[in-house]
Amino acid sequence: MHKLEDNRAWFLVIPVFVLVAFNAVVPLMTVVNYSVQDIFGPGQRAFVGVEWFREMLRDPTVQSAFLRQILFSLLVLAMQIPLGVGVALLLPRSGWKSSLAIILVAIPLLVPFNVVGTIWQVYARPEIGLFGRLINATGIDYNYTASPLAAWVTLLLMDAWHWAPLVILLAFAGLCSIPEPYYQAARIDGASRAAVFRFIELPKLRGVLTIAVLLRFMDSFMIYTEPFVVTGGGPGSSTTFLSIRLVNMAVGQFDLGPAAAFSLMYFLVILLFSYVFYTIMKLNNAR
Amino acid sequence: MTAIQTFVPAAAELTRPKRTATRARIFSATLLGLFLLFQALPIYWIVRMSLMTPNNVLTRPDFLPVEPTLDNYRTIFTDPSWYMSYVHQISYVALNTVISLAVALPAAYAFSRYRFLGDKHVFFWLFSNRMAPPAVFLLPFFQLYSAVGLFDTPWAVALAHTLFVVPLAVWILEGFMSGIPREIDETALVDGFSLPRFFVTVFMPMIASGIGVTAFFCFMFSWIELLLARTLTSVDARPIVVTMTRTASTSGMDWGLLAAAGVLTILPGIAVIWFVRNYIAKGFALGRV
């Protein structure tokens, strides 16, 4: 759409600008302050320059948490995007069945993080949880408190349970917006189901799927509460993701300087990713 | 030639055994059913836990609730520290939704209708805040909201949650607004509407489903958040998600009580989904298909 050039539009943006600046800029500056100082106690501090950054970059627990985080986010995307599109294709498009299925699908989205954790903590236990018992009944030795693999499987399933619905709803909305004549044309051409998906549905889903990938990537990259409640970062440190490591450092050990340096680098990595996604989205819109 | 091409698939349709189509339908219904079961069983499990004593939760693997009781719910509804925390959570989530929509609507309009100095940079900067991990901001937020005297009030949590809710709200609303041609604005302004009056009486009804979906997202992300809510409250404004974590650490794990509180946090979600169910098909494309 052609837009008018008018700097008075700034007046409309000021409320958002002030609100977000208050929440983002002031705390960010506090973090920047901490990251270059060594704090011994109230009023006792020394400037240390980039020392904390250097230390954090060399810290093996931070490095492994970072790799773990990347792997987790990629697995989340690899599971949930195809699952979401697949289920969206199965959903009835109209009538009461459609409403009912959508409500059932959407419920996990509005369950608070720690409640999700509480549910799966018990649900996946090998002795008393339905899920844990079912898996063990098939002969697989499954115990998420003992085996890192089982812990990862539990967290990935839990995350799919909680967030695949978002992908489903976005994809479903995308599918509903495809006009019926597209399908009629495909039927006339004798297109197979696979061809309809590949050449009609998938291109039409690109817009919503970009949003889904973006939201799922961001939120899985910041995940904290759910793994914290279920595994506490264990067994060992096999599920200690970036936020868990960071909160341990800042609140548990009260290492404010290193934690602040860690925070800034964490934020910069996310900013980098978000810039890449944002550029891709703009290219998508331009097309 | 075209006649033949249109005829051939129709013939194939007729001759293809009807059984295949029926079988495909049964197959997809089964898959969907399995997925819905995967979604529903964990919910059932927490409802089941909420009806049992903590001891039974930890020892009995039965599928049905063992010695079902409503004691856990009774505890929650008679203890003010429980039921008031439920009220606190609803109040800050509602505040957050109202504030977010109030500031996001004009901004989204500006981004969708005008070009102005630094517009793309501001948009990206807003958007980058959606990606700020709450863990990064815990301590600074605590200090900031203590300094301005809002610590342990619903306002603190509501305002803090706007950090990651508002950027999304602006983004979603901008998508919907851009779907409405600018000629409508121009016609209304020529007809003598002032901009605010046009916006409220003409424009907002036109993007009602967009506003509904935006409110849904605001509600959702604020309702499920724990980390900031826990950092910014202590006693007077403590929400139920935080009360759950405190209970767990003081008197051992009372799983039955935790589950009952958990079930109560799911109910408002179901109500909200019920309200937006008809917008989902159209609104969740977020104006970007």
Side-chain angles (χ1 to χ4, degrees):
Chain A
M1 188 192 320
H2 174 72
K3 294 180 186 176
L4 291 176
E5 179 109 35
D6 191 343
N7 279 323
R8 283 176 302 172
W10 254 105
F11 286 114
L12 299 173
V13 182
I14 280 176
V16 161
F17 191 82
V18 171
L19 185 65
V20 177
F22 175 75
N23 270 322
V25 178
V26 180
L28 198 63
M29 288 322 293
T30 318
V31 176
V32 171
N33 259 326
Y34 282 155
S35 72
V36 291
Q37 292 180 335
D38 195 351
I39 297 160
F40 314 111
Q44 284 183 297
R45 49 189 64 186
F47 183 76
V48 294
V50 294
E51 181 57 32
W52 298 136
F53 289 90
R54 218 175 279 148
E55 189 177 301
M56 284 298 101
L57 281 174
R58 280 195 297 246
D59 188 331
T61 63
V62 172
Q63 289 167 358
S64 55
F66 181 72
L67 292 178
R68 229 172 266 138
Q69 185 69 71
I70 297 262
L71 180 65
F72 182 78
S73 288
L74 290 180
L75 286 174
V76 160
L77 288 180
M79 276 172 69
Q80 292 178 18
I81 300 296
L83 179 69
V85 175
V87 174
L89 287 169
L90 297 175
L91 285 177
R93 300 274 166 88
S94 57
W96 66 268
K97 276 188 198 158
S98 175
S99 295
L100 181 70
I102 281 175
I103 291 171
L104 283 178
V105 163
I107 287 172
L109 282 178
L110 284 133
V111 182
F113 287 127
N114 59 328
V115 178
V116 174
T118 307
I119 294 176
W120 281 80
Q121 227 269 11
V122 177
Y123 183 63
R125 281 201 201 181
E127 342 76 67
I128 52 165
L130 181 63
F131 179 75
R133 284 183 67 226
L134 278 178
I135 300 289
N136 279 301
T138 62
I140 302 167
D141 186 25
Y142 166 87
N143 183 352
Y144 69 83
T145 56
S147 130
L149 180 67
W152 271 72
V153 169
T154 311
L155 292 183
L156 284 168
L157 279 176
M158 175 176 70
D159 203 68
W161 178 80
H162 193 186
W163 288 113
L166 185 68
V167 186
I168 297 171
L169 293 187
L170 288 167
F172 177 73
L175 288 173
C176 286
S177 72
I178 300 175
E180 183 55 28
Y182 281 55
Y183 289 107
Q184 283 167 358
R187 225 170 294 141
I188 289 168
D189 288 346
S192 66
R193 185 71 195 84
V196 170
F197 178 70
R198 171 68 189 82
F199 295 107
I200 296 178
E201 290 171 333
L202 203 55
K204 275 278 175 187
L205 285 179
R206 199 174 56 197
V208 278
L209 284 185
T210 319
I211 300 170
V213 168
L214 189 61
L215 286 178
R216 282 316 304 129
F217 179 82
M218 294 192 292
D219 289 336
S220 65
F221 212 82
M222 304 191 267
I223 192 167
Y224 172 80
T225 309
E226 293 159 299
F228 182 76
V229 174
V230 177
T231 66
S237 57
S238 60
T239 54
T240 304
F241 299 117
L242 279 178
S243 281
I244 297 186
R245 184 73 198 90
L246 176 59
V247 174
N248 282 346
M249 203 183 287
V251 182
Q253 307 161 351
F254 223 68
D255 287 336
L256 292 186
F262 185 0
S263 298
L264 282 180
M265 291 189 292
Y266 190 2
F267 192 46
L268 283 179
V269 168
I270 283 193
L271 209 61
L272 182 74
F273 280 121
S274 82
Y275 186 73
V276 172
F277 278 122
Y278 183 73
T279 314
I280 296 173
M281 259 170 29
K282 267 206 312 212
L283 288 178
N284 259 341
N285 285 352
R287 239 180 299 192
Chain B
M1 190 62 197
T2 39
I4 293 171
Q5 272 180 346
T6 51
F7 178 72
V8 171
E13 201 97 73
L14 283 177
T15 49
R16 189 162 49 196
K18 223 172 183 172
R19 269 224 311 272
T20 326
T22 325
R23 211 179 286 160
R25 204 170 308 139
I26 291 175
F27 181 66
S28 64
T30 315
L31 279 184
L32 183 62
L34 281 177
F35 181 76
L36 291 180
L37 199 65
F38 169 71
Q39 296 289 95
L41 277 179
I43 301 273
Y44 168 72
W45 209 247
I46 192 175
V47 174
R48 166 195 170 276
M49 278 161 68
S50 74
L51 299 172
M52 290 163 54
T53 63
N55 205 13
N56 279 337
V57 170
L58 287 177
T59 50
R60 302 292 293 270
D62 312 46
F63 185 75
L64 292 172
V66 180
E67 299 164 29
T69 161
L70 288 175
D71 279 352
N72 296 319
Y73 290 97
R74 209 164 288 135
T75 311
I76 290 177
F77 284 112
T78 50
D79 179 350
S81 74
W82 273 110
Y83 66 75
M84 279 317 287
S85 63
Y86 199 62
V87 174
H88 295 147
Q89 183 154 346
I90 289 177
S91 61
Y92 77 67
V93 172
L95 264 179
N96 171 274
T97 308
V98 171
I99 296 174
S100 301
L101 281 177
V103 298
L105 276 166
Y109 185 76
F111 284 120
S112 102
R113 292 312 200 234
Y114 299 106
R115 267 186 298 138
F116 48 93
L117 194 65
D119 53 355
K120 297 211 171 71
H121 300 288
V122 176
F123 198 76
F124 177 69
W125 170 72
L126 272 181
F127 185 73
S128 71
N129 286 300
R130 177 61 183 75
M131 303 195 82
V136 169
F137 285 119
L138 288 187
L139 217 60
F141 264 6
F142 173 73
Q143 292 175 325
L144 175 66
Y145 283 98
S146 303
V148 296
L150 288 175
F151 176 73
D152 205 14
T153 63
W155 287 95
V157 189
L159 288 174
H161 280 181
T162 60
L163 178 68
F164 52 92
V165 167
V166 159
L168 193 67
V170 171
W171 192 45
I172 296 174
L173 286 171
E174 195 265 341
F176 280 99
M177 291 178 179
S178 296
I180 306 233
R182 226 200 28 244
E183 283 70 32
I184 297 195
D185 310 26
E186 281 159 4
T187 317
L189 297 183
V190 168
D191 286 349
F193 278 88
S194 67
L195 184 63
R197 186 154 159 253
F198 156 75
F199 193 80
V200 174
T201 58
V202 181
F203 197 68
M204 277 172 61
M206 292 180 75
I207 54 162
S209 66
I211 297 177
V213 169
T214 311
F216 173 83
F217 273 98
C218 294
F219 182 96
M220 177 176 104
F221 282 112
S222 181
W223 182 259
I224 66 179
E225 208 276 339
L226 169 77
L227 216 44
L228 291 177
R230 191 174 64 187
T231 308
L232 293 176
T233 58
S234 70
V235 181
D236 294 339
R238 188 200 289 168
I240 193 158
V241 285
V242 177
T243 309
M244 286 177 71
T245 63
R246 301 272 155 97
T247 311
S249 54
T250 50
S251 58
M253 291 276 191
D254 186 340
W255 287 105
L257 197 58
L258 277 183
V263 169
L264 290 175
T265 65
I266 298 174
L267 293 180
I270 295 178
V272 168
I273 294 166
W274 177 259
F275 285 124
V276 298
R277 72 189 186 286
N278 292 328
Y279 292 128
I280 283 175
K282 211 168 70 182
F284 268 69
L286 311 183
R288 286 192 171 73
V289 181

